[in-house]
Amino acid sequence: MNGTEKIINQVNPYKPEPARIVRAYDLTDDVRFFQVRFADMDLALSFKYEAGQFAMISVLGAGEAPFSISSTPSRPGLLEFCIRKTGVVTDAIFRLKENDFIGVRGPYGTGFPIEMMKGRDILFVMGGLGAAPLRSVLLYCLDDRDHFGRISVLHGAKRPAEMIFRDEFLHLKKRSDLDCYLSVDKDDTGEWTENTGVVTTLFPKVKTIVPENTAAVVCGPPIMYKFVINELIKLNIPKDQILMTLERRMKCGVGKCGHCAIDYIYTCIDGPVFTYWDVLHMRELI
Amino acid sequence: MRIVKLKQDRLNSFLEAVSTDSELWGPVKKGADKHRFKIVDNPAEFDLDYTRTILPPKKIFLPPRFNMFKAMPTAYEEETMDPTKKILFGVHPCDIHGILIMDQFYTQTYNDPYYIRSRENTIILGHSCWPDEHCLCHSTGTDVANEGYDLFFTALNDEYLVWIGSSKGDDLVRIVPELFNEDLSDRDIQNYIRWREDRSKAFKAEINFKAMPDFMELKYRDAVWENLSHACLACGSCSNVCPTCTCYNVNDKPRLSENASDIARCWDACTLESYSEVAGGENFRESRSERLKLYYTHKLQAFISKYGKPACVGCGRCAATCPVGINVKTVAGALDGEEVDAFWSRYATEVTK
Ligand SMILES: Cc1cc2nc3c(=O)[nH]c(=O)nc-3n(C[C@H](O)[C@H](O)[C@H](O)COP(=O)(O)OP(=O)(O)OC[C@H]3O[C@@H](n4cnc5c(N)ncnc54)[C@H](O)[C@@H]3O)c2cc1C
Ligand code: SF4
Ligand code: SF4
Ligand code: FES
């Protein structure tokens, strides 16, 4: 047999590795935070990944699904996920408790292009569960702060109770080396002291943008992309410096099952991180 | 490449001699006019006068359903694939090219250990063929195989010219060297050349594959896709029978007697409605036309652009199988602006009238 490209993984790439849930707590009504550690100590310490990559998580009796890794590779040892309860696999994950086991395999997909981002100003725009993958790259930038220019974060949620990592972001606001802006569509608590309005209402607050030296990192529900991309284009940020992640059905994560295909592209190995320029050329998405 | 000769009436002695410790697979008649690859006890059961089997050889490497793992609470045990050695006899050039495409696909970027293991355990013995009205391999450039087999048998008169394509193939010949004749005469060569010329002329169906990536791009929103989708039954047969279709699904099947599951892998098809469904019932490809476009993007465009050849080996199975006449020939024809005489196009004109 004549393989043509570099073979990344010599062992069985479909085989999950047992991992222990070491911490689990609710972030919102239907999103829970999971900190997990591979049972195999060597693997736990040697597991390398990039910000923006995802892993396949399996639960005995329920199946397997892809989830973004929310922790940063700059802090090895534990993997973190935030998972929304929506169906068979995620319901089963929610039934698990600390010290229970899941299966994890990965990491898969392209991470964010950190080398391209280095030296530039970074503008993060996230909504809803979009904070799950973006937290990884944000923490990565903060752990390596000197290598990035100005960092601005726009984070939106429907209501204060639905803001993922709300306390973590409120805490970030205290830092002087980044500008963090939070917004909720609607405040139903009467205690929200940050902005109210959709995430795009935060754009006027952002300090001067030097478009050609800015990388925008966007993740959120489909409806958010449309409005946010409009704003970014208005700011003249080049299309290939607007980074986003796409979600598709995924059964393998390694370019074999076909489910994540968009035109010629396999979201799992060619993505999930794409530039807006890439996305513009996907016929199925236009 | 070394070429030897074998009298056709000695073929079965050869196959018997080389398959003592292997399963012997090959084309066997099914019903009145169909064939399938099947294990036999005796090579006399083979019917070599066949054009295409219902399913391509992919079913031998990755069966329609098999278990990948036994999942337990804190461990995953890999299911070992059937380790029996197999000899697959009677494979036509198009199917050999299909296997070559799978070899590439399953070893690129990530290895698929299940495919690789059963592939490495299988010896491929090719066999010459003659085209019928559905065979497109002349257009796809897969009418002749120059690699991808261990031995290739070209039937000429009462003899076979046997191409030895690999060291494993050479070993097989050396098990019973007395059956073979090493002397290839000028006449044999002349006969072969004439046979090839005649065969080339016998192809009735042609497709302009080189133009297809362009046409797929230009006609991505053409009405032809809607027309096709009215007739398509979303049955998935075109994927099941295609040698280059590899999509699959995975299911967790809990065992009744213990706290464990079988992680089962089964063939899937992009033409099926559930293919691109995600949480909350959202479906990225709800319409049949979107799904057919994905199928034909793979066959007629993506692969050509990436690897310079179509993901179609011209076997004609889609043409022989689709109940409404949607196949690579009629779709390419429609993209090429031809009047296509297929059920779907008649249906389309009647429905839209
Ligand atoms: C790269 C990537 C990263 C993701 N990151 C996260 C994350 O950090 N947090 C999170 O909560 N969710 C994330 N998702 C979505 C998550 O995979 C789905 O919520 C999950 O698959 C739902 O599975 P289920 O069995 O609970 O739902 P069901 O509706 O019961 O699942 C049915 C089938 O659809 C598939 N499926 C359903 N929804 C999706 C979806 N949105 N994307 C892909 N496949 C789907 C499942 O694999 C399953 O085969 C991510 C998806 C992708 C592709
Ligand atoms: S194109 Fe034909 S074979 Fe394929 S799904 Fe539609 S009806 Fe079935
Ligand atoms: S598209 Fe049709 S002719 Fe081409 S390889 Fe697949 S089944 Fe055979
Ligand atoms: S998830 Fe299987 S091919 Fe991408």
Side-chain angles (χ1 to χ4, degrees):
Chain A
M1 293 174 51
N2 35 1
T4 51
E5 284 171 35
K6 195 183 77 178
I7 291 163
I8 291 176
N9 202 333
Q10 297 298 332
V11 293
N12 190 330
Y14 305 116
K15 190 175 175 187
E17 289 291 337
R20 189 189 301 273
I21 298 176
V22 294
R23 253 184 115 187
Y25 57 84
D26 286 338
L27 290 173
T28 72
D29 285 353
D30 61 350
V31 180
R32 194 171 291 174
F33 178 73
F34 292 89
Q35 218 172 30
V36 308
R37 186 180 168 88
F38 285 112
D40 176 345
M41 187 93 81
D42 290 336
L43 180 62
L45 295 173
S46 64
F47 188 83
K48 290 228 175 344
Y49 63 97
E50 292 166 28
Q53 286 193 294
F54 66 95
M56 299 293 289
I57 293 187
S58 52
V59 186
L60 184 63
E64 203 177 32
F67 298 95
S68 309
I69 304 176
S70 261
S71 45
T72 163
S74 47
R75 303 176 197 174
L78 293 169
L79 292 177
E80 294 169 348
F81 298 93
C82 17
I83 297 181
R84 169 170 285 152
K85 193 171 186 289
T86 60
V88 180
V89 176
T90 49
D91 286 357
I93 295 176
F94 269 63
R95 284 196 291 272
L96 299 178
K97 297 187 186 58
E98 282 157 358
N99 210 30
D100 282 343
F101 278 81
I102 54 173
V104 177
R105 60 187 179 91
Y108 297 128
T110 50
F112 284 97
I114 294 288
E115 287 311 313
M116 178 279 257
M117 293 161 65
K118 278 189 178 162
R120 292 186 199 270
D121 295 343
I122 315 288
L123 171 60
F124 289 95
V125 188
M126 55 189 96
L129 210 48
L134 295 205
R135 175 178 179 260
S136 175
V137 60
L138 172 61
L139 294 181
Y140 186 92
C141 294
L142 294 178
D143 284 355
D144 195 13
R145 188 65 192 86
D146 299 346
H147 282 105
F148 300 89
R150 175 185 292 162
I151 296 181
S152 315
V153 178
L154 315 186
H155 184 10
K158 283 203 192 101
R159 302 175 293 122
E162 285 184 35
M163 180 166 281
I164 314 254
F165 300 116
R166 187 183 60 234
D167 295 341
E168 208 172 303
F169 280 90
L170 283 168
H171 185 73
L172 283 180
K173 285 192 65 90
K174 298 189 187 130
R175 280 179 73 145
S176 57
D177 59 353
L178 90 160
D179 301 314
C180 180
Y181 308 98
L182 309 179
S183 190
V184 293
D185 296 356
K186 197 171 166 230
D187 174 26
D188 53 1
T189 62
E191 288 165 21
W192 181 250
T193 53
E194 304 299 318
N195 187 68
T196 309
V198 293
V199 74
T200 42
T201 60
L202 291 172
F203 272 88
K205 297 185 193 281
V206 179
K207 308 217 173 94
T208 335
I209 295 260
V210 184
E212 64 280 5
N213 193 42
T214 299
V217 182
V218 188
C219 190
I223 175 81
M224 191 196 91
Y225 279 107
K226 214 171 116 191
F227 296 106
V228 168
I229 300 277
N230 266 341
E231 294 294 327
L232 297 172
I233 300 290
K234 268 193 248 160
L235 290 171
N236 288 321
I237 297 177
K239 294 191 177 76
D240 62 355
Q241 284 167 219
I242 300 177
L243 304 163
M244 47 206 289
T245 75
L246 294 184
E247 243 185 52
R248 274 295 183 274
R249 178 165 170 172
M250 291 185 182
K251 278 294 178 178
C252 72
V254 294
K256 302 292 187 235
C257 76
H259 281 92
C260 69
I262 307 176
D263 292 344
Y264 312 20
I265 289 155
Y266 285 121
T267 317
C268 68
I269 52 176
D270 301 324
V273 174
F274 293 98
T275 67
Y276 179 52
W277 179 255
D278 296 331
V279 171
L280 269 180
H281 292 87
M282 296 177 189
R283 290 174 308 199
E284 283 197 79
L285 297 186
I286 307 167
Chain B
M1 205 177 293
R2 203 156 74 90
I3 299 168
V4 293
K5 288 197 294 183
L6 176 74
K7 284 259 180 269
Q8 285 189 11
D9 56 12
R10 291 180 172 179
L11 175 69
N12 289 354
S13 315
F14 168 73
L15 291 174
E16 270 164 28
V18 297
S19 62
T20 49
D21 63 345
S22 316
E23 285 176 6
L24 182 60
W25 289 73
V28 169
K29 205 160 188 168
K30 182 173 163 61
D33 56 353
K34 294 207 159 48
H35 289 82
R36 59 172 170 162
F37 286 111
K38 191 173 168 285
I39 307 184
V40 298
D41 295 326
N42 184 339
E45 292 172 54
F46 290 148
D47 178 8
L48 292 170
D49 185 19
Y50 86 103
T51 312
R52 64 182 67 75
T53 51
I54 302 168
L55 290 176
K58 69 179 180 183
K59 69 166 188 184
I60 296 158
F61 304 118
L62 294 172
R65 177 178 196 89
F66 66 92
N67 291 337
M68 296 208 286
F69 302 104
K70 178 183 175 189
M72 290 164 291
T74 60
Y76 296 84
E77 210 172 79
E78 201 173 324
E79 297 283 351
T80 38
M81 292 281 282
D82 165 19
T84 344
K85 281 201 254 166
K86 296 182 177 71
I87 293 180
L88 177 55
F89 177 68
V91 190
H92 290 168
C94 59
D95 280 342
I96 291 175
H97 281 275
I99 294 169
L100 284 170
I101 286 178
M102 284 199 296
D103 287 355
Q104 180 184 347
F105 178 76
Y106 283 123
T107 57
Q108 78 191 0
T109 318
Y110 289 89
N111 270 336
D112 189 309
Y114 301 97
Y115 177 82
I116 292 172
R117 255 173 259 150
S118 51
R119 174 71 174 88
E120 280 175 346
N121 264 330
T122 308
I123 283 183
I124 310 279
L125 307 183
H127 194 283
S128 56
C129 52
W130 200 260
D132 72 3
E133 72 278 14
H134 296 314
C135 292
L136 288 162
C137 58
H138 199 247
S139 303
T140 48
T142 53
D143 52 333
V144 178
N146 294 316
E147 54 170 341
Y149 55 80
D150 298 290
L151 295 174
F152 192 95
F153 294 76
T154 304
L156 285 180
N157 308 323
D158 62 342
E159 279 188 318
Y160 281 117
L161 295 192
V162 183
W163 270 254
I164 303 176
S166 74
S167 165
K168 274 188 197 164
D170 191 60
D171 293 345
L172 295 186
V173 169
R174 282 190 296 123
I175 293 176
V176 275
E178 66 279 9
L179 295 180
F180 293 87
N181 174 352
E182 302 264 344
D183 303 318
L184 211 60
S185 68
D186 282 347
R187 248 190 80 157
D188 293 329
I189 296 170
Q190 283 310 319
N191 282 344
Y192 175 72
I193 291 172
R194 195 167 325 115
W195 172 83
R196 264 193 74 152
E197 283 170 354
D198 291 348
R199 179 168 173 269
S200 280
K201 286 184 207 133
F203 285 92
K204 298 182 195 88
E206 297 283 345
I207 294 183
N208 183 5
F209 275 98
K210 279 212 182 78
M212 285 304 142
D214 260 5
F215 288 177
M216 281 298 298
E217 199 63 44
L218 291 165
K219 302 214 169 172
Y220 196 71
R221 303 200 191 286
D222 198 277
V224 66
W225 297 109
E226 269 316 303
N227 293 342
L228 288 165
S229 72
H230 291 309
C232 173
L233 307 168
C235 68
S237 305
C238 48
S239 297
N240 288 338
V241 302
C242 179
T244 70
C245 275
T246 46
C247 290
Y248 66 81
N249 207 348
V250 180
N251 289 303
D252 180 304
K253 296 274 162 208
R255 292 191 181 182
L256 295 176
S257 52
E258 53 183 325
N259 188 14
S261 287
D262 290 311
I263 308 301
R265 168 164 162 182
C266 49
W267 292 4
D268 203 349
C270 62
T271 40
L272 297 176
E273 178 147 14
S274 58
Y275 186 78
S276 303
E277 233 169 46
V278 298
E282 194 186 337
N283 194 331
F284 289 108
R285 292 188 194 89
E286 220 157 11
S287 72
R288 285 170 199 197
S289 65
E290 292 305 318
R291 301 200 296 274
L292 284 169
K293 276 187 208 176
L294 184 66
Y295 184 99
Y296 285 100
T297 295
H298 176 238
K299 304 299 166 210
L300 300 175
Q301 182 176 24
F303 221 73
I304 306 186
S305 305
K306 274 191 190 165
Y307 306 112
K309 60 183 180 192
C312 168
V313 295
C315 71
R317 286 189 178 89
C318 51
T321 305
C322 175
V324 297
I326 301 174
N327 58 57
V328 72
K329 171 109 199 321
T330 55
V331 172
L335 292 176
D336 210 345
E338 280 171 26
E339 285 279 332
V340 175
D341 182 32
F343 174 82
W344 66 265
S345 63
R346 293 194 293 274
Y347 186 78
T349 40
E350 260 140 57
V351 167
T352 45
K353 235 179 229 167

